[in-house]
Structure formats: C-alpha cells, structure tokens
Amino acid sequence: THRAADGVTVESFVLAPAGRGPHPAVLEIHGGPHGWHPQVVMLPLYQSLVAAGYAVVLPNPRGSHGYGEGFARACVGDWGGADFADLIGALDALTEAGVVDPGQLYVAGYSYGGFMTSWAVGHTGRFRAACVAAPVTDLFSMWGTTDIPNFAAFELGALPWEDPAVYAAHSPITALPAVRTPVLLLHWEGDLRCPISQAEQMFQGLRKLDREVALVRYPGGFHIQRTPSQMVDFVTRHLDWFGSHRGRPSRTAGEAAAGGRRSSGRRGSPASSGRQ
C-alpha cells in the first residue's frame, strides 16, 4: 500500500518476475472505473508479461470496489484527477522500494483502464509505450453512442449540453497534442459499451499529429467477449509492442507538457487487422 497526498490509503497488487529488482514494469489499469484488481479475465496477459520479465503493477485507485462505498464513489466527477494521482503514486512507491525501474515503465488498460491509459499518455511522459484497449477517449461521442448513456451522465454529473466544459476537460482526446508515448490501440468491432469509434478517434488524432500509433481492430466480439484465438493475439501484441520499445529513452513529464519533439517512430502507421 501507499498513502496519497490527502492521506487516502491505496492498495496495489504486484506480480514480479524471479530475481531482485528493480524490474521493467507494466502499470495495468483496471476497468469500471468501479472495478478492482486482480481481474481473473486478464490473468493470461499478466502472467505472460511476468514471464517476459516485467513486474505487473495492479493498483486499486479511488473508484475501485472492495474498499467501501465512499472510496468507490471518490472518482465520480473526477475522472483523471485523484484516481490518476493514485496510480502514479503506486509507481512512485514501488520505485522507492526498489521493485520497479523508473526508466523502464509501460502502461496498459482496458475499458476505463483504456480511458486512463489514454489519459496517462497525455499527462505524463514517463512511459516508454502504451497499449490502449477498448477505451473511452471522447466523452461527448461516448455519451451518444454507448449502450449505457446514463452511466456517463452520472459519472460526470451532467448531460453533455448542460456542462460541455466538463466533458471536454475529462476527455483524453483533448490532451492528444501532448502525447509523445508510442500508442497501440486494440478494439473489437462489436463493442457497444465503448464503441470502436472511441479508438478510431484517438488513432486519427495521433496520425494527424504525426505520432507513433497503430490500431488493431478485431471482428465481432463485445465489450468483454472475445474468442480464444483473439485473446492469444491480444496478449502477443502487448508483448511485441512493449518489447519493441524497450531501451528507448522515455520522456519526462515536463517534456510531455511542453510539447517535446516528435516520436521517431513511423508516421501514422496504417490500422492493422486483428482477424483471427
């Protein structure tokens, strides 16, 4: 556990490879936001990352279930605020403990975890690479296309036309110009909860900004439904994406905020097919 600046205690689970640290580390962010770690459905990914030599950090930031109603409601109206600080705080605590290597950090997440991964790369430059899966990136279009529009209104406290500023302020797409982290997007075409257009918007924006980005679109499926072969592909692409960016210099938070220089990777790489 670690204690946030406001005194809140945040618990994290860590899966570490054999040997002494510090280890390269993947910050894995759960969905919800009112989900929790560890998520059994993602264990094949976590175990594969550990086998490849990464420590997998599984924090339960405010908003997570399992710590009381007040803790679970603490991120409502504050997506990307204290919940994001809790995630970064977990990495800082594990860095201080010698578990993770601050120069070899990666980030990934699914659903709300995809939202927070998208948010992270627009607000810090400490990650070498990111895998964004089934994300929310634009809360305006999310409200109008998801199968649970009332959920978005509850989480933000207003409908889009009642408070457009809060929708823009909490949408990762607003911060796309600050992104310097190489991003891999993965999404299922049959997703009605977080429609694939959420990934497409981020993909098109990063292409326009000349950032390193790739999109994998899987046929069929739903938000939490996928074939075994697609899951194998999903895990393999995480390993390949992170592996291909090991050893590259990471950006500092200051560089990301200031603009930095463009990624040296491919410009607007074409969307790839995840058909299995």
Side-chain angles (χ1 to χ4, degrees):
T1 63
H2 79 275
R3 192 171 297 276
D6 60 358
V8 172
T9 298
V10 179
E11 184 177 43
S12 300
F13 295 85
V14 181
L15 304 178
R20 296 178 59 86
H23 305 284
V26 178
L27 173 64
E28 272 285 342
I29 308 171
H30 69 61
H34 311 297
W36 59 89
H37 272 316
Q39 294 179 325
V40 175
V41 70
M42 288 296 180
L43 280 179
L45 174 61
Y46 305 157
Q47 292 170 339
S48 296
L49 288 168
V50 172
Y54 301 92
V56 179
V57 181
L58 307 172
N60 282 326
R62 65 196 75 195
S64 304
H65 273 178
Y67 304 91
E69 183 177 354
F71 192 87
R73 293 178 65 94
C75 71
V76 174
D78 189 38
W79 285 25
D83 49 1
F84 176 59
D86 289 346
L87 295 166
I88 297 302
L91 287 179
D92 290 342
L94 289 167
T95 296
E96 185 176 350
V99 177
V100 306
D101 178 356
Q104 288 276 357
L105 296 178
Y106 308 84
V107 62
Y110 196 102
S111 190
Y112 177 81
F115 160 86
M116 190 58 76
T117 304
S118 304
W119 183 270
V121 296
H123 291 82
T124 179
R126 67 170 65 190
F127 299 108
R128 290 179 179 271
C131 288
V132 177
V136 175
T137 62
D138 180 3
L139 287 161
F140 286 102
S141 60
M142 174 68 178
W143 179 86
T145 56
T146 181
D147 64 347
I148 52 168
N150 291 334
F151 174 78
F154 169 78
E155 290 290 326
L156 293 176
L159 293 166
W161 53 86
E162 294 172 337
D163 196 346
V166 75
Y167 276 72
H170 293 279
S171 291
I173 202 166
T174 303
L176 283 190
V179 175
R180 294 298 183 279
T181 304
V183 173
L184 173 64
L185 292 147
L186 306 107
H187 217 133
W188 272 259
E189 292 173 343
D191 194 340
L192 302 179
R193 186 64 38 87
C194 299
I196 195 171
S197 57
Q198 294 294 305
E200 290 171 335
Q201 289 179 85
M202 187 172 187
F203 178 65
Q204 296 289 11
L206 292 175
R207 279 173 58 94
K208 188 68 174 179
L209 290 164
D210 198 19
R211 306 296 191 258
E212 183 177 354
V213 61
L215 169 63
V216 178
R217 51 190 308 138
Y218 294 98
F222 184 59
H223 191 54
I224 54 173
Q225 182 182 16
R226 57 195 70 88
T227 67
S229 63
Q230 287 175 342
M231 190 61 186
V232 170
D233 186 82
F234 180 81
V235 170
T236 301
R237 289 181 187 271
H238 276 72
L239 294 170
D240 289 348
W241 189 255
F242 291 151
S244 69
H245 294 91
R246 286 182 74 161
R248 295 191 183 186
S250 57
R251 300 271 172 241
T252 65
E255 286 176 322
R261 65 175 179 83
R262 290 181 177 177
S263 169
S264 61
R266 56 191 176 282
R267 179 183 186 278
S269 56
S272 59
S273 171
R275 300 190 180 277
Q276 295 291 312

